[in-house]
Amino acid sequence: GHAHRMLLRLGLATFCTMNVLAFSMALWSRDVYGKHASDTTALAGAIDGLFRYAILLFALPVLFLLGGPLLANVWQAIRRGVITADILILLGVVGAYVYSTISVVRGAGSIYFEVGCVVLAFLTLGRWFEASGKLKMSQALDELAKLLPSTVHQVCGATIRDVPRESIQIGDILRVRVGERIAFDCCIIAGVAEIDEQLVT
């Protein structure tokens, strides 16, 4: 569930980030070509201002969708007294957002919303890959655990009795018959056998 929620957040944030990048490219082209173009009219300035507010509008959901979990991780790390890279990432993203917001409100200065959005998007994408990998690994381990026998043959003196696997303690002696799976890490103390170790190797 955590991986699916993260993927949903990432999808919505990616849509907003693409819009931020599109409007930012329009502003960058004005910065590059505007000095030599003749369209330095009031309309062009109004369009630039509109694009700046559009970028702000699309960048805020990215901050809340992807920055919220990052802030929660940072808060937990601070409470534990641990310094992590998340703190530096959060400071950089917040700095970019605060400076860019001030620039939008003033109507002058550079904006760096696209930097914060892309950093958050790539960070979340990496963590989604990590969560998906952990999920697949835990599922594989669960499947391996199902291969173990539910009961084992415990040697009690001269008798052998079948008991649940969970009741075995360290030091107990077990009998493994031909073709059966070995339920625990153990040492062979009597007998000779060939064992298929491909599960281990």
Side-chain angles (χ1 to χ4, degrees):
H2 177 66
H4 290 301
R5 286 194 299 272
M6 189 181 295
L7 185 60
L8 177 62
R9 286 172 170 263
L10 181 61
L12 294 172
T14 300
F15 169 76
C16 293
T17 299
M18 297 304 288
N19 282 282
V20 168
L21 291 174
F23 284 114
S24 296
M25 288 181 67
L27 288 180
W28 294 338
S29 64
R30 292 276 305 153
D31 290 341
V32 172
Y33 301 110
K35 297 175 183 177
H36 306 291
S38 59
D39 58 344
T40 56
T41 61
L43 178 61
I47 290 175
D48 284 356
L50 181 64
F51 281 2
R52 285 170 170 265
Y53 277 100
I55 293 171
L56 174 62
L57 181 66
F58 281 108
L60 287 178
V62 178
L63 181 64
F64 289 113
L65 287 169
L66 304 184
L70 180 63
L71 179 61
N73 291 342
V74 168
W75 177 246
Q76 290 175 2
I78 291 174
R79 290 180 61 186
R80 293 194 311 264
V82 178
I83 302 299
T84 64
D86 286 348
I87 297 174
L88 297 175
I89 294 170
L90 183 66
L91 287 175
V93 169
V94 169
Y97 268 80
V98 169
Y99 180 85
S100 300
T101 302
I102 293 172
S103 296
V104 169
V105 172
R106 287 177 50 218
S110 301
I111 57 174
Y112 301 102
F113 286 116
E114 73 281 355
V115 176
C117 291
V118 170
V119 166
L120 288 174
F122 275 108
L123 177 69
T124 306
L125 181 63
R127 294 197 173 162
W128 178 77
F129 281 130
E130 181 183 4
S132 298
K134 287 180 180 179
L135 178 62
K136 291 178 181 177
M137 181 62 68
S138 64
Q139 289 173 345
L141 291 175
D142 290 342
E143 292 297 323
L144 289 177
K146 292 177 183 176
L147 298 176
L148 295 176
S150 58
T151 59
V152 293
H153 314 296
Q154 184 179 25
V155 178
C156 300
T159 63
I160 298 175
R161 59 179 185 169
D162 291 346
V163 296
R165 186 180 71 219
E166 293 78 13
S167 65
I168 297 300
Q169 302 293 323
I170 295 176
D172 288 349
I173 300 175
L174 307 177
R175 166 110 184 203
V176 181
R177 298 192 176 103
V178 176
E180 291 183 338
R181 292 187 174 95
I182 301 174
F184 296 96
D185 293 335
C186 55
C187 299
I188 299 175
I189 60 174
V192 177
E194 290 185 358
I195 300 172
D196 183 3
E197 297 181 349
Q198 75 173 3
L199 179 66
V200 178
T201 58

